C-alpha cells in the first residue's frame, strides 16, 4: 500500500466550477452537457462526497473525446402515459439525462401528484443525491436510482454481480436544508476505492474483497465490494437488486454484469446504462402547511433524541450540509492525483488551472476526512 498522502490543498468552489465548465466546453460538450456535468460534480465536492466530485473531470472528458459519451446529444421522450414517461438520453452524460428526466418527473407530479421517468441510453451520472435534490428544490420529494457496472459481490458470493446501485431520496424542509439520503447499496462506492488509492489510505474493514472473495483493507488489492449489511449482507444485495430492476429491467437497458467497466480500457463504446427518477408532490396527499409542520416536528424529535456518550444524532443530510458550510469558508479539498489531472487538462485546452487557496493565518488547514 502507498504511504499516506499529504493533506489536500483547498480550492474556491466558484473557481472549480468555472474551470470544470470551461474544460467541458473546450472538449466539445454543448452548454447543457457542460452545465449538468459540472453541477453534479460540484454537488459531490461541495457536500463532501469527493468520490463523486470534481475528481471525475478527467474521466468524463476522456469518455466524451473517446466516443463513449455523446457530448452533444439529442434527448427525446419516447413514451408518456399519465404520470410516467420514458426518456432516451442519446448516450448523453449521465447527469444531463438524470436532470432532464427529473425535471419531467416534477412536471408530471405537478399535474398528477406523482411523476416517474425511466431513462434509457444514459451513462455514469455521479452522485445520485444531486438528482433527488433537484426535485426537493422544486418542492417535491425526489428519488433517484441507477445501476452500474458489476463491482459488488452477492451475499456470500465470490464474484462481481451487481453494481454499487445507489438509492437517493430528498425531502423539502421549510426554512431549512432538505432531508437528504444518498447511499450505495454496497458497503462503500467503487469511486471511494479509487479515492483511497490516491490518498494512500486503507479501506474500512469488511467493505471490499480481493480476487478470491476474501476481505481486504488494501485498496490496491480490492477486486470487488461487499454488499451493505456486513454479516447480514443479503439486505444490501436485495436493495441492489431492487435498483437493478428499476434501472435495467424496467428500462430495457443492460444489467450490471453486461455494462462495460467504468475505467475502460474501451472509451469509445456507449455503455447503454439505465436510470430511474421520481418526484412526489406532498400537497397531493395532505395540505402543504400540515406536511411542513409534521416534517418540522419529526426532525425536531429526531435531532433531540438521546445519543450515546460522545455521539451526535443527525438527520440524513445534516453531515453533508455542515460540510458544505465548512467548505464554503475553508474551500474544497483536492487530492494530488486530481490536481495533476487539472494541470494536464489546463495544458491540453489552454485554460488556466484553478489556484489553491492560501492556508489560514492560524496554521495549515486540517486534513479532510472522508465521511
Amino acid at each position: 500500500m502507498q504511504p499516506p498522502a499529504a493533506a489536500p490543498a483547498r480550492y474556491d468552489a466558484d473557481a472549480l466550477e468555472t474551470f470544470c465548465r470551461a474544460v467541458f466546453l473546450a472538449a466539445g460538450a454543448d452548454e447543457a452537457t457542460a452545465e449538468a456535468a459540472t453541477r453534479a460534480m460540484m454537488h459531490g465536492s461541495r457536500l463532501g462526497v469527493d468520490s463523486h466530485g470534481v475528481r471525475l473531470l478527467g474521466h468524463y472528458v476522456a469518455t466524451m473525446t473517446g466516443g463513449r459519451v455523446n457530448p452533444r446529444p439529442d434527448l427525446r421522450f419516447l413514451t408518456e402515459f399519465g404520470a410516467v414517461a420514458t426518456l432516451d438520453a442519446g448516450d448523453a452524460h449521465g447527469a444531463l439525462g438524470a436532470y432532464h428526466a427529473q425535471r419531467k418527473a416534477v412536471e408530471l407530479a405537478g399535474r398528477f401528484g406523482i411523476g416517474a421517468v425511466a431513462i434509457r441510453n444514459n451513462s455514469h451520472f455521479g452522485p445520485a443525491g444531486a438528482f433527488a435534490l433537484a426535485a426537493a428544490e422544486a418542492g417535491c420529494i425526489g428519488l433517484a436510482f441507477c445501476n452500474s457496472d458489476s463491482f459488488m459481490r452477492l451475499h456470500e458470493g465470490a464474484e462481481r454481480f451487481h453494481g454499487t446501485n445507489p438509492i437517493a431520496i430528498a425531502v423539502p424542509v421549510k426554512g431549512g436544508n432538505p432531508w437528504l439520503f444518498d447511499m450505495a447499496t454496497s458497503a462503500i462506492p467503487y469511486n471511494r476505492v479509487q479515492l483511497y488509492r490516491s490518498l494512500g489510505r486503507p479501506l474500512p474493514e469488511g467493505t471490499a474483497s480481493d480476487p478470491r472473495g476474501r476481505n481486504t483493507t488494501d485498496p490496491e488489492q480490492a477486486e470487488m465490494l461487499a454488499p451493505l449489511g456486513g454479516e447480514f449482507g443479503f439486505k444490501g444485495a436485495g436493495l441492489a437488486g431492487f435498483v437493478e430492476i428499476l434501472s435495467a429491467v424496467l428500462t430495457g437497458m443492460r444489467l450490471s454484469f453486461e455494462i462495460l467497466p467504468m475505467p475502460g480500457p474501451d472509451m469509445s463504446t456507449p455503455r447503454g446504462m439505465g436510470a430511474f427518477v421520481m418526484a412526489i408532490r406532498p400537497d397531493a396527499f395532505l395540505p402543504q402547511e400540515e406536511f411542513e409542520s409534521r416534517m418540522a416536528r419529526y426532525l425536531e424529535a429526531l435531532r433531540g433524541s438521546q445519543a450515546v456518550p460522545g455521539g451526535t444524532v443527525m438527520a440524513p443530510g445534516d453531515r453533508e450540509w455542515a460540510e458544505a458550510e465548512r467548505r464554503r469558508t475553508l474551500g474544497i479539498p483536492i487530492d494530488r492525483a486530481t490536481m495533476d489531472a487539472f494541470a494536464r487538462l489546463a495544458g491540453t485546452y489552454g485554460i488556466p488551472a484553478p489556484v489553491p487557496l492560501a492556508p489560514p493565518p492560524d496554521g495549515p488547514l486540517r486534513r479532510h476526512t472522508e465521511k
Side-chain angles (χ1 to χ4, degrees), residues 42-116:
M42 290 304 300
H43 168 95
S45 289
R46 283 192 169 101
L47 272 66
V49 190
D50 293 308
S51 57
H52 288 62
V54 296
R55 65 173 299 276
L56 293 172
L57 178 62
H59 170 77
Y60 286 151
V61 169
T63 65
M64 292 180 190
T65 57
R68 171 187 281 187
V69 169
N70 186 346
R72 311 181 74 83
D74 176 24
L75 284 74
R76 298 179 297 115
F77 285 100
L78 301 176
T79 62
E80 186 172 337
F81 179 72
V84 304
T86 299
L87 172 68
D88 187 329
D91 299 317
H93 185 283
L96 178 61
Y99 279 128
H100 195 70
Q102 192 63 280
R103 282 194 296 271
K104 181 68 171 181
V106 168
E107 174 196 322
L108 292 170
R111 289 191 277 149
F112 299 104
I114 190 169

Side-chain angles (χ1 to χ4, degrees), residues 318-339:
D318 284 357
R319 186 190 306 274
E320 288 81 359
W321 297 122
E323 180 63 15
E325 186 59 37
R326 193 167 81 97
R327 292 183 177 203
R328 244 189 304 274
T329 302
L330 297 179
I332 293 173
I334 301 295
D335 62 275
R336 170 53 60 184
T338 300
M339 287 189 276

